[in-house]
Every structure is written in C-alpha cells, then in structure tokens.
Amino acid sequence: MKGLLVVVDMQRDFIDGSLGTKEAQHIVPKVAERVRSGREAGEEIVFTLDTHREDYLETLEGRKLPVEHCLKGTEGWQLCKELTGAEGRQFEKGTFGSLELMRYAAAGGYDQVELIGLCTDICVISNAMLIKAAMPQTRICVRADCCAGVTPESHENALKAMEMCQIEII
C-alpha cells in the first residue's frame, strides 16, 4: 500500500509560541513518534508550513486574527525541535489549506492519505477536505490523538465534521 503522511503546521508558534496551547504541546511526542514509525514503514512524509510575511496584520486573516505568527524565517515559523531533521517535502501555505498539497496528493497515486498536526479545526480540516475533494475514492484519514484544535471543543467538532464527509477518524 502506498501511503502519504501529511504533517500539518507543527510549528513552534502553534505549540509554545504566540498561538501555542497546552493541547498542542501534549501531541508533540505522539506526532514525532508517528513520523518516526511512518518513515520506518516506508510512507512518504510531507509537511505544511503556515507561512506569513511582515504584512500579516494587513491581510484579511490578520485583521480577523491580529496575532502575528509563523512569519517566514522566524523561530516561530520553524518546525518544532522534535521534528528537526525530519526529511520530507515542505509546502508553504499562506492560508489554511494548500492547493499545491492537494494537487501533489492527487497526482501521487496513493492508496491512503493520513493527516496529523495543528490545528484540527482550521488547517487540518481544510487540507483534509481539499484532499478528499481531489481524491474521493482514496482512504483519507485523520489520527485524532496526533491532532489538537484551538480548543478541545473545536477539535471534537472538526473531527465530527470530517467524519460526516467520509474522512476516517482513527
């Protein structure tokens, strides 16, 4: 089986930086272990990076969420230290979902695409829905214990929404 593991936005600003949460901190060891086991199993592993520029506060997102985060080149933009050295293609994205990742996954001939990371209720769900739309006959799944949302409630709501759209929650 040809599998793709998508690690969504496991960046310092979302873990212990400007938008960090204890729930995000809690999943870091699980995500690092899943990446290690995926590599050992021969899965392809890719990473998304929420990527903003110095003009972030002037963007629509910045006006709705006026907290600078994941500014390209800053420490907060970097993957968490537990994933340092993890090899894999990276997709920089200036918004919640990546059309480039969606096209990459659709062209890859994968039997399964699994998503893990942050935030369940924003970027994980956005990327899962894009990939599901591009690959409706492919098993798309989200590993719940390797994800965290902005709040525990919004995490659960996002999992339920994805499940309703035939994205498997594991």
Side-chain angles (χ1 to χ4, degrees):
M1 180 173 74
K2 186 176 180 185
L4 178 66
L5 177 62
V6 178
V7 182
V8 179
D9 296 358
M10 287 298 296
Q11 294 161 272
R12 294 177 182 179
D13 271 348
F14 291 128
I15 297 166
D16 56 12
S18 59
L19 292 173
T21 66
K22 67 180 186 310
E23 291 83 11
Q25 294 168 21
H26 179 74
I27 70 163
V28 170
K30 294 175 186 171
V31 169
E33 173 57 27
R34 179 64 187 93
V35 168
R36 186 194 63 72
S37 68
R39 190 164 322 290
E40 287 176 0
E43 292 175 284
E44 182 178 358
I45 302 170
V46 298
F47 299 82
T48 67
L49 294 171
D50 194 46
T51 303
H52 300 294
R53 311 269 184 256
E54 295 297 325
D55 68 346
Y56 170 75
L57 294 175
E58 299 166 24
T59 67
L60 180 61
E61 179 184 332
R63 289 192 301 273
K64 292 187 177 286
L65 177 64
V67 179
E68 287 187 334
H69 64 281
C70 299
L71 299 179
K72 186 169 181 168
T74 65
E75 187 174 307
W77 178 72
Q78 302 296 320
L79 288 174
C80 64
K81 67 180 184 299
E82 292 80 359
L83 295 177
T84 300
E87 297 175 1
R89 183 174 177 153
Q90 295 183 345
F91 296 89
E92 293 181 14
K93 56 185 191 56
T95 188
F96 308 131
S98 170
L99 295 175
E100 182 184 7
L101 170 62
M102 177 196 73
R103 287 189 285 271
Y104 181 84
Y110 300 101
D111 300 305
Q112 172 179 301
V113 179
E114 179 182 326
L115 295 94
I116 60 176
L118 302 167
C119 291
T120 319
D121 44 343
I122 302 173
C123 294
V124 174
I125 192 172
S126 295
N127 284 289
M129 296 294 277
L130 285 169
I131 293 169
K132 182 66 177 175
M135 305 170 69
Q137 300 305 315
T138 301
R139 180 178 185 235
I140 311 299
C141 55
V142 171
R143 188 171 297 273
D145 68 345
C146 287
C147 292
V150 174
T151 68
E153 297 79 19
S154 62
H155 166 78
E156 289 300 323
N157 288 339
L159 294 175
K160 288 175 187 171
M162 288 185 279
E163 194 169 41
M164 290 299 295
C165 294
Q166 301 179 0
I167 294 167
E168 186 178 343
I169 307 303
I170 55 175

